[in-house]
Amino acid sequence: MNQQAHRGRIATIIEILNEQMADLGVTNRAIFINDVLQLLCEARNAESLEKSIIVSKIRGILESIAPRNIRRVKINGRILQENQLLWLEDITQDPENQLLWSEEIILKKPNIFHKISGSNQSDLPLKSLSQQPKSGKLQQNLIWAIAVTVVLILMGFILYNALQFQLLESLQSQPETEIESSPKPPETLSSAEQFSRGVKIAEEAAAEGKFADTRQEWLEIAQKWQQAADYMEAVSPDFERYATAQNRAALYRRNQEQAQRESVISYE
């Protein structure tokens, strides 16, 4: 589980946060958008959402996980509500009435050089350190061995990231090709019917996203988010909820992109 969270899998990160914050009576929801992890912390009363405690707890958990490509985190505190589908839209449009507080933090990046050198030193027992021979040649060989090890680790790290980048480039185009074939909303539907169908499909996508784990499941969810966005974008400008439809269309597009990213992570 920790390995998946380190790779940036949002569902696993939330599972760890919920597990480690259960004693506080706090549940968490999140979405990664525009390079920011938007995190919603909810509890049944304000006393359980003490800002300093929650922010410190979340910072500690996330920095121990060190999720890849996540540094900026916006933490939002809110009293528990029944309606959860469009929580990001709700707190963005009306933060004063929706939130108790919010705080943006920057996670510390792990220092790979420090971790390597620290692990090398800590692995040596005190007795062996005290009994090291004083031979200059042996010490020189030891230094060279450590240097070669560090270089090999760095080369492996660079190669791993290069391969991942190539894999991501090849996979990103594939989901888009598969999703582009999704049916567009029929022109014979009224704006009210298009709006209603868009909401229904979005609810299905949100529900399925709670349990998705495979690449194919995330691709299907991404397709549903696209269909929901298509219906919202097809609403006529003279429809009374046109502005809401446009806002939801933009949100559904972002959710579609997030589902596509999850499909790439699941493929790995």
Side-chain angles (χ1 to χ4, degrees):
M1 180 184 295
N2 288 337
Q3 182 63 24
Q4 290 184 339
H6 174 66
R7 290 163 60 184
R9 183 175 175 82
I10 303 301
T12 307
I13 293 173
I14 293 305
E15 186 176 349
I16 293 175
L17 286 172
N18 285 337
E19 180 180 314
Q20 298 194 24
M21 298 179 70
D23 58 330
L24 300 177
V26 176
T27 58
N28 302 274
R29 299 174 184 276
I31 183 171
F32 187 65
I33 183 169
N34 296 330
D35 295 326
V36 178
L37 180 64
Q38 291 282 353
L39 185 62
L40 178 66
C41 304
E42 294 184 303
R44 297 189 179 278
N45 54 71
E47 289 75 13
S48 300
L49 289 167
E50 177 64 34
K51 180 178 179 180
S52 59
I53 296 176
I54 298 299
V55 172
S56 176
K57 183 81 171 179
I58 290 176
R59 179 189 290 274
I61 295 172
L62 292 181
E63 289 185 348
S64 67
I65 295 173
R68 186 186 306 160
N69 299 329
I70 297 179
R71 291 203 63 203
R72 294 176 58 197
V73 182
K74 187 170 184 181
I75 308 171
N76 305 282
R78 184 176 79 169
I79 299 297
L80 184 64
Q81 296 186 17
E82 294 298 329
N83 182 20
Q84 301 291 354
L85 180 60
L86 301 175
W87 63 266
L88 181 59
E89 180 181 350
D90 292 340
I91 67 175
T92 300
Q93 293 182 352
D94 190 16
E96 184 174 346
N97 294 321
Q98 287 285 333
L99 298 176
L100 295 175
W101 50 264
S102 65
E103 178 79 10
E104 183 168 328
I105 62 174
I106 304 296
L107 302 180
K108 295 179 180 178
K109 296 184 66 176
N111 190 323
I112 184 172
F113 298 102
H114 175 72
K115 291 173 69 177
I116 293 173
S117 62
S119 61
N120 287 337
Q121 292 295 332
S122 61
D123 289 341
L124 294 174
L126 293 177
K127 184 177 180 181
S128 64
L129 288 174
S130 63
Q131 295 178 350
Q132 287 182 1
K134 297 182 179 180
S135 169
K137 185 175 181 179
L138 182 58
Q139 290 181 354
Q140 185 178 14
N141 291 338
L142 179 61
I143 293 173
W144 274 107
I146 293 175
V148 170
T149 301
V150 172
V151 170
L152 290 176
I153 291 174
L154 288 176
M155 290 178 63
F157 179 77
I158 294 172
L159 179 61
Y160 173 77
N161 279 277
L163 291 175
Q164 274 209 325
F165 178 77
Q166 292 178 356
L167 179 63
L168 182 62
E169 286 284 311
S170 63
L171 290 177
Q172 277 183 338
S173 59
Q174 185 175 356
E176 293 175 0
T177 302
E178 296 176 9
I179 293 173
E180 282 178 357
S181 61
S182 62
K184 295 293 182 178
E187 296 181 359
T188 57
L189 294 178
S190 67
S191 291
E193 290 173 328
Q194 290 168 336
F195 187 91
S196 177
R197 289 198 181 186
V199 170
K200 181 180 179 181
I201 294 174
E203 290 174 346
E204 293 175 358
E208 293 174 8
K210 296 178 181 178
F211 305 101
D213 191 52
T214 67
R215 176 173 177 267
Q216 183 60 37
E217 289 173 340
W218 280 114
L219 286 175
E220 292 174 357
I221 292 170
Q223 186 177 33
K224 286 193 174 183
W225 281 121
Q226 180 183 7
Q227 290 175 336
D230 288 342
Y231 276 111
M232 288 299 176
E233 290 174 349
V235 168
S236 173
D238 57 4
F239 181 57
E240 58 182 0
R241 302 189 68 183
Y242 175 74
T244 301
Q246 295 304 300
N247 288 336
R248 292 194 179 186
L251 175 62
Y252 296 165
R253 292 295 184 197
R254 294 194 294 269
N255 290 350
Q256 174 193 350
E257 294 172 359
Q258 178 62 30
Q260 291 177 0
R261 284 192 289 269
E262 288 292 342
S263 73
V264 174
I265 295 173
S266 300
Y267 182 79
E268 297 175 4

